[in-house]
Amino acid sequence: MSLFNDYVKAVYAKLNATSGLTGIISESLNDTDSFPKVWLEDGGADDWSNKDDDGLEAIVNLHVGSRYRGTKELRELMDKCHTALHFVDLTLDNGQSVLCQFLRHDIVTDSDGTTRHGVMRFSLLISEVV
């Protein structure tokens, strides 16, 4: 199955093409990044293939970071991520996304006492196109 990189690339492309998120999307976070920032994390995948079809149920975690005092900026960014991905068709190189669905979110203050950190979880059902 060749879908493992495709779903992360598709989520990245969709978010990076969304107004208000363009240019702040990354696949990792480092200490030199400016805020606000959204970075992706592969949350794992389960195989649901059968003898006729190949497919995955994948989880993608979005981490949204803001140093704005309070949660207004963080919640606005999370709303943009939700709108960009929830029940949206994604374009995959080697598969088709059957469903991209928001599952949950959490907001915490990081140990620096300044950075607000939102974590959003999305489930993707993907079938391979042959």
Side-chain angles (χ1 to χ4, degrees):
M1 184 175 301
S2 56
L3 299 175
F4 290 102
N5 286 323
D6 286 354
Y7 65 86
V8 174
K9 287 178 8 185
V11 169
Y12 177 91
K14 180 66 175 172
L15 291 172
N16 203 41
T18 299
S19 177
L21 298 176
T22 303
I24 66 168
I25 309 299
S26 177
E27 285 193 63
S28 64
L29 180 70
N30 64 53
D31 292 335
T32 62
D33 287 338
S34 61
F35 285 85
K37 184 62 95 179
V38 177
W39 61 103
L40 283 70
E41 176 185 59
D42 187 336
D46 291 312
D47 184 17
W48 62 260
S49 301
N50 58 42
K51 68 179 188 138
D52 298 318
D53 299 301
D54 287 331
L56 294 174
E57 179 178 7
I59 299 293
V60 172
N61 297 316
L62 300 184
H63 296 266
V64 183
S66 170
R67 292 201 171 140
Y68 176 85
R69 190 171 184 170
T71 61
K72 179 183 179 200
E73 181 179 60
L74 181 67
R75 290 182 183 280
E76 288 173 352
L77 291 169
M78 291 172 71
D79 187 53
K80 289 179 187 300
C81 292
H82 181 272
T83 300
L85 296 176
H86 185 57
F87 290 137
V88 172
D89 292 329
L90 298 174
T91 303
L92 280 69
D93 291 340
N94 293 305
Q96 67 184 37
S97 173
V98 176
L99 177 66
C100 180
Q101 182 177 7
F102 172 75
L103 298 176
R104 66 169 290 130
H105 84 275
D106 295 293
I107 296 176
V108 297
T109 302
D110 284 353
S111 61
D112 64 6
T114 303
T115 306
R116 305 277 193 257
H117 185 160
V119 181
M120 303 178 75
R121 180 170 286 185
F122 290 86
S123 173
L124 287 77
L125 291 178
I126 305 160
S127 64
E128 188 168 34
V129 177
V130 284

